[in-house]
Amino acid sequence: MALLWSYYAVFSLEQQSYLNSRFWVEFPKPLIRAIVAIQLISLVGFLIAFFAPSGLITGRKVTNAPHFACLFFAGSVAWAFLARSALDGGGTVPMLLTIVSLVVAAIANIMLLLASIKARNHTASIGLLLLALTVVLSDGILWNIMLARAMT
């Protein structure tokens, strides 16, 4: 719920549509469309990983999943507010904190994936792999590079 609230709190104040949002920090339009398609796949992965009957919440127990999940959600919730601050001209510190928030979320996603594979929770593993397409590749790497490039 906190994740949805944080995104609503930030994005409801924006004037542009999602595809034209300033949060795309100079991404080319074809890449934005591709990433949005990947985000939809990752959303399905998120739902599978956390909420499927055999996912992280009710399925086979995954060692340290609550800790990694907390890190994942903390990084994800913080990102929306930090990104808005950075894009509003907050300077180098908000930019670096924004990047760190996505790196924390990406590392937590990777650790959850590794732990779920070790626990043989295949449902969670599949969901986390799909989620990682956005959290690790699109956000943790690509978005961070684009933000740093746009702000330096």
Side-chain angles (χ1 to χ4, degrees):
M1 280 309 263
L3 181 59
L4 293 176
W5 172 81
S6 70
Y7 285 19
Y8 175 78
V10 170
F11 290 110
S12 66
L13 301 175
E14 293 297 310
Q15 302 299 316
Q16 310 92 348
S17 70
Y18 183 68
L19 293 176
N20 295 314
S21 171
R22 66 191 177 123
F23 285 82
W24 285 110
V25 290
E26 301 177 7
F27 275 73
K29 290 292 182 196
L31 187 54
I32 292 171
R33 288 190 290 274
I35 290 172
V36 168
I38 291 167
Q39 287 175 336
L40 294 173
I41 294 167
S42 292
L43 174 62
V44 171
F46 173 82
L47 295 173
I48 291 169
F50 287 94
F51 300 107
S54 54
L56 291 173
I57 293 176
T58 60
R60 179 178 288 167
K61 298 301 175 209
V62 174
T63 305
N64 293 320
H67 301 103
F68 295 135
C70 284
L71 286 173
F72 170 79
F73 286 113
S76 299
V77 168
W79 172 81
F81 298 105
L82 292 168
R84 181 178 62 195
S85 176
L87 293 173
D88 284 346
T92 303
V93 172
M95 178 192 69
L96 292 174
L97 290 174
T98 303
I99 289 170
V100 167
S101 72
L102 288 181
V103 170
V104 166
I107 290 170
N109 190 156
I110 292 167
M111 296 306 292
L112 280 166
L113 177 57
L114 293 172
S116 68
I117 290 169
K118 183 177 179 184
R120 299 191 191 289
N121 185 329
H122 304 303
T123 300
S125 298
I126 292 166
L128 290 162
L129 182 61
L130 296 175
L131 181 60
L133 294 171
T134 292
V135 175
V136 176
L137 298 176
S138 293
D139 293 347
I141 297 172
L142 185 59
W143 194 89
N144 278 339
I145 290 169
M146 295 298 285
L147 176 68
R149 190 173 85 179
M151 296 191 70
T152 55

